[in-house]
């Protein structure tokens, strides 16, 4: 009887170890997650999605919320088209940056700020930002329902704008679904991405 009990316990432990080993194999390493994200991004030629943005500013009790759509056309064009609470656009075409309802060109300090933000968004879309060790210290973790990438700026110009950037990716599609930017001045901007449509013809809408 004792021998049977020991055998049963041994079988249970073997099954438990086997299940643990299967679970471990399903967990991707940080490098594997980054490569999966970059691979998924490389297959995208264009994207349109809905965005919901929450902006928090020090000394303001209520967050500022806005929503609209984003269009991305590979390799370096995107448009944030806000419709609520009012109409406003940020359009980027390479080094050309336009803002406002009249799409005015942006230069000077504001232009440099928007250029930094736009290069970061384009880096998110391509996934290459996760491999840019000269600009960010990057850690990627699997938190179950999301792959979370934490980027800590190491380059001086990025440090002036952000203390950290957090990206959330869908493990199923490896696509970006959430972006949280923590400002050096204490504020933050979070953008949630939904209703993603890939590889359509969005030239007329852009």
């Amino acid at each position: 009887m004792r021998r049977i009990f020991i055998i049963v316990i041994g079988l249970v432990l073997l099954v438990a170890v086997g299940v643990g080993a299967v679970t471990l194999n399903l967990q991707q390493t940080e490098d594997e997650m980054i490569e999966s994200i970059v691979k998924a991004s490389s297959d995208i030629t264009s994207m349109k999605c809905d965005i919901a943005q929450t902006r928090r500013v020090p000394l303001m009790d209520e967050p500022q919320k806005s929503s609209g759509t984003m269009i991305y056309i590979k390799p370096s064009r995107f448009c944030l088209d806000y419709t609520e609470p009012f109409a406003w656009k940020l359009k980027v075409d390479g080094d050309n940056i336009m803002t406002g309802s009249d799409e005015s060109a942006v230069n000077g300090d504001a232009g440099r700020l928007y250029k930094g933000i736009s290069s970061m968004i384009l880096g998110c879309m391509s996934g290459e930002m996760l491999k840019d060790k000269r600009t960010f210290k990057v850690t990627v973790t699997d938190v179950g329902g999301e792959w979370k990438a934490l980027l800590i700026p190491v380059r001086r110009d990025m440090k002036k704008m952000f203390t950290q950037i957090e990206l959330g990716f869908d493990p199923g599609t490896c696509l970006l679904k959430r972006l949280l930017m923590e400002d050096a001045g204490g504020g933050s901007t979070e953008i949630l991405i939904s209703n993603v449509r890939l590889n359509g013809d969005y030239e007329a809408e852009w």
Side-chain angles (χ1 to χ4, degrees), residues 7 14 28 38 41 43 54 95 102 104 108 112-113 125 142 158 186:
I7 291 173
L14 284 173
Q28 295 195 50
V38 172
S41 300
D43 294 333
T54 301
D95 290 331
D102 58 348
S104 301
R112 283 188 288 273
L113 173 63
M125 297 305 303
D142 185 346
M158 283 295 177

Side-chain angles (χ1 to χ4, degrees), residues 35-67:
E35 287 304 320
S36 294
I37 291 167
V38 172
K39 173 62 172 63
S41 300
S42 68
D43 294 333
I44 298 173
T45 57
S46 65
M47 184 183 85
K48 183 177 181 180
C49 62
D50 297 336
I51 56 173
Q53 177 177 299
T54 301
R55 172 71 180 159
R56 292 180 171 84
V57 181
L59 304 180
M60 290 188 65
D61 294 332
E62 296 295 326
Q64 301 169 314
K65 296 189 176 184
S66 53
S67 60

Side-chain angles (χ1 to χ4, degrees), residues 91-179:
K91 293 184 72 171
V92 176
D93 185 358
D95 290 331
N96 298 317
I97 301 171
M98 298 148 283
T99 63
S101 56
D102 58 348
E103 300 182 20
S104 301
V106 181
N107 299 296
D109 290 340
R112 283 188 288 273
L113 173 63
Y114 281 120
K115 187 174 181 179
I117 293 173
S118 63
S119 66
M120 185 188 61
I121 292 176
L122 288 170
C124 289
M125 297 305 303
S126 67
E128 290 298 327
M129 195 166 65
L130 299 177
K131 303 175 76 172
D132 186 359
K133 306 299 184 182
R134 296 174 299 174
T135 305
F136 299 100
K137 177 183 177 182
V138 179
T139 56
V140 183
T141 55
D142 185 346
V143 293
E146 181 180 81
W147 289 352
K148 185 171 75 172
L150 184 63
L151 287 70
I152 306 297
V154 295
R155 212 172 66 194
R156 183 178 300 177
D157 59 337
M158 283 295 177
K159 284 183 176 181
K160 290 181 179 179
M161 291 190 291
F162 308 106
T163 57
Q164 68 176 42
I165 299 162
E166 186 176 296
L167 309 175
F169 294 88
D170 184 327
T173 62
C174 303
L175 298 179
L176 183 69
K177 65 177 186 178
R178 181 176 61 86
L179 167 64

